[in-house]
Amino acid sequence: MRWSGQQLDSEQQGALPGLARLHDLVRTVRTPEFAGIAFHEVLAKSALNHVPAAAALPFGWTINPYRGCSHACVFCFARRTHEYLDLDAGRDFDEQIIVKVNVAEVLQKELARPSWQRHPVALGTNTDPYQRAEGRYRLMPGIIAALAASGTPLSILSKGTLLRRDLPLLQAAAERVPVDLAMSIAVFDPELQKSIEPGAPSTEARLATIAAARDAGFAPSVFVMPVLPWLTDSREHLDRAFGRIAEAGAGSVVYSALHLRPGAREWYFAWLEREHPDLVGRYRELYAGSDYAPKEYRTWLAAKVRPLLRKHGVDRAPTEPTTGAIRSRALRGAPATLAGGRPGADSDRMLAAELGAAAADALQPTLF
Ligand code: SF4
């Protein structure tokens, strides 16, 4: 398998109780290049997660090659998912990363089932598929290739500039299936960005990734999420944000105010106490009744944002009326035209290389 030949600087055998319950733990790895981070390599039993209809999200299936995220955003709403692994939603979420080393192989098998209906699949809905670990484990090329070869539309949301590595493969995939790309970029103040997203690439690097995706023929969206009350919701900050996004060539934006689910809430308030103690009282009041900012705040924010979007000529991405989440082209299952043209030999070779010859041969008769 692709991960078995990796050279490790150090490794440690042993199982965490929660991991042992949920997965087959292969090993725990710590290396000097990722100081302070432990990678728990597991054998996943499944790759595709079905999203319950009750969640009212605009996608029915997701893949999360990693759990936990070294981008370490203080406000990350996925933090609590780490508690199911007997890890905590704070520091452990940032530093104890679960790696599904066999995810691409498992995915290929799932996609080959006659029952798979090629519903669109979303990546980056829970943790970031292009977080730093991806540079080491290289799981995404196999996932992208498998989805494209099976005729399954896909969307990717990330803060990781490593996405650029896979643009040629994504172009090849887009010749076969709808592919939507989006970057999450919410903070246009370098000092604040480093403080609140300490492990994520800089805003400038993410804008450059948007420009690269546009140059590769995509129409990437930017998620300006979350807008942080009293920190990034000034007219001046939003003006700068939408101006830079427009310059980078994004096709559309989505924005929403911060929400603070349990797990993220405690971690965010601890950060606020340290970095902006003057705001703690106001935040407690704003988020007293709900995890979401009150309707009055959201209405106030919308009134501020609308003219700025117009000013910079940035479209607001179509969103689901029920959830406010982006309704992507890939998720609607529209025909693939992003990279233009008919399936070609170059893209076949690229996909086949990522899938491995045997799998590609098995899929080729019907899917290429
Ligand atoms: S990049 Fe996304 S998944 Fe990772 S910590 Fe930040 S918000 Fe969470």
Side-chain angles (χ1 to χ4, degrees):
M1 290 190 188
R2 73 181 66 239
W3 40 271
S4 60
Q6 292 190 21
Q7 297 299 307
L8 306 178
D9 297 311
S10 66
E11 65 179 74
Q12 168 192 319
Q13 299 293 335
L16 295 167
L19 289 173
R21 211 170 46 236
L22 292 176
H23 298 285
D24 294 329
L25 181 67
V26 177
R27 60 190 168 184
T28 294
V29 177
R30 292 182 175 83
T31 74
E33 312 95 84
F34 294 90
I37 296 181
F39 296 119
H40 303 291
E41 300 179 354
V42 302
L43 295 178
K45 294 181 178 69
S46 65
L48 289 161
N49 313 301
H50 191 229
V51 180
L57 291 168
F59 41 81
W61 296 87
T62 63
I63 300 171
N64 292 296
Y66 304 99
R67 292 181 70 171
C69 184
S70 61
H71 286 162
C73 307
V74 173
F75 46 73
C76 179
F77 65 77
R79 289 187 169 280
R80 201 176 192 186
T81 59
H82 241 42
E83 293 176 355
Y84 300 121
L85 302 168
D86 292 346
L87 295 167
D88 74 47
R91 190 75 63 204
D92 283 352
F93 180 85
D94 306 339
E95 297 178 351
Q96 307 284 323
I97 309 298
I98 284 71
V99 184
K100 299 176 187 174
V101 286
N102 63 338
V103 66
E105 288 83 359
V106 173
L107 176 64
Q108 277 185 45
K109 290 191 187 116
E110 292 179 335
L111 296 172
R113 288 180 189 148
S115 57
W116 175 243
Q117 297 187 359
R118 300 171 189 167
H119 289 301
V121 170
L123 289 126
T125 57
N126 195 357
T127 58
D128 199 317
Y130 284 107
Q131 60 180 286
R132 288 180 60 211
E134 174 61 16
R136 171 187 181 80
Y137 287 97
R138 211 181 141 78
L139 301 178
M140 284 298 284
I143 293 171
I144 294 163
L147 290 170
S150 73
T152 303
L154 66 140
S155 66
I156 299 174
L157 169 63
S158 179
K159 287 180 184 166
T161 51
L162 201 53
L163 174 75
R164 289 175 81 154
R165 179 198 68 193
D166 289 346
L167 282 174
L169 185 63
L170 287 161
Q171 285 175 304
E175 291 182 16
R176 287 173 170 68
V177 293
V179 175
D180 278 337
L181 303 181
M183 294 294 287
S184 172
I185 318 177
V187 184
F188 289 74
D189 167 339
E191 205 177 316
L192 178 62
Q193 189 269 322
K194 266 285 146 230
S195 171
I196 204 160
E197 302 172 333
S202 69
T203 294
E204 293 303 318
R206 279 181 260 171
L207 288 167
T209 305
I210 286 289
R214 181 209 52 207
D215 292 346
F218 293 93
S221 302
V222 173
F223 281 46
V224 183
M225 296 166 79
V227 176
L228 306 169
W230 300 293
L231 289 170
T232 61
D233 64 354
S234 68
R235 188 183 183 288
E236 187 268 332
H237 183 275
L238 293 167
D239 192 24
R240 185 162 69 243
F242 295 132
R244 296 302 312 280
I245 289 167
E247 271 169 35
S252 57
V253 300
V254 190
Y255 74 94
S256 81
L258 175 72
H259 62 271
L260 288 174
R261 290 186 202 160
R265 175 180 280 261
E266 299 80 5
W267 199 239
Y268 189 84
F269 269 103
W271 174 83
L272 214 52
E273 298 267 9
R274 275 196 319 274
E275 303 294 329
H276 299 278
D278 51 313
L279 293 178
V280 171
R282 290 209 265 177
Y283 266 81
R284 289 213 187 284
E285 209 174 307
L286 196 67
Y287 289 91
S290 166
D291 296 346
Y292 294 85
K295 188 168 177 221
E296 297 72 38
Y297 178 85
R298 287 182 278 133
T299 307
W300 171 86
L301 183 62
K304 201 174 236 188
V305 164
R306 249 181 260 120
L308 292 173
L309 290 178
R310 274 199 301 276
K311 172 182 168 186
H312 293 291
V314 182
D315 290 331
R316 188 165 179 214
T319 52
E320 290 294 314
T322 45
T323 62
I326 192 167
R327 193 193 312 151
S328 83
R329 205 182 60 85
L331 301 176
R332 292 199 304 276
T337 53
L338 273 176
R342 296 179 56 74
D346 286 350
S347 59
D348 286 357
R349 273 196 293 278
M350 201 175 299
L351 293 172
E354 293 299 343
L355 280 168
D361 283 349
L363 294 169
Q364 196 118 5
T366 50
L367 298 170
F368 285 119

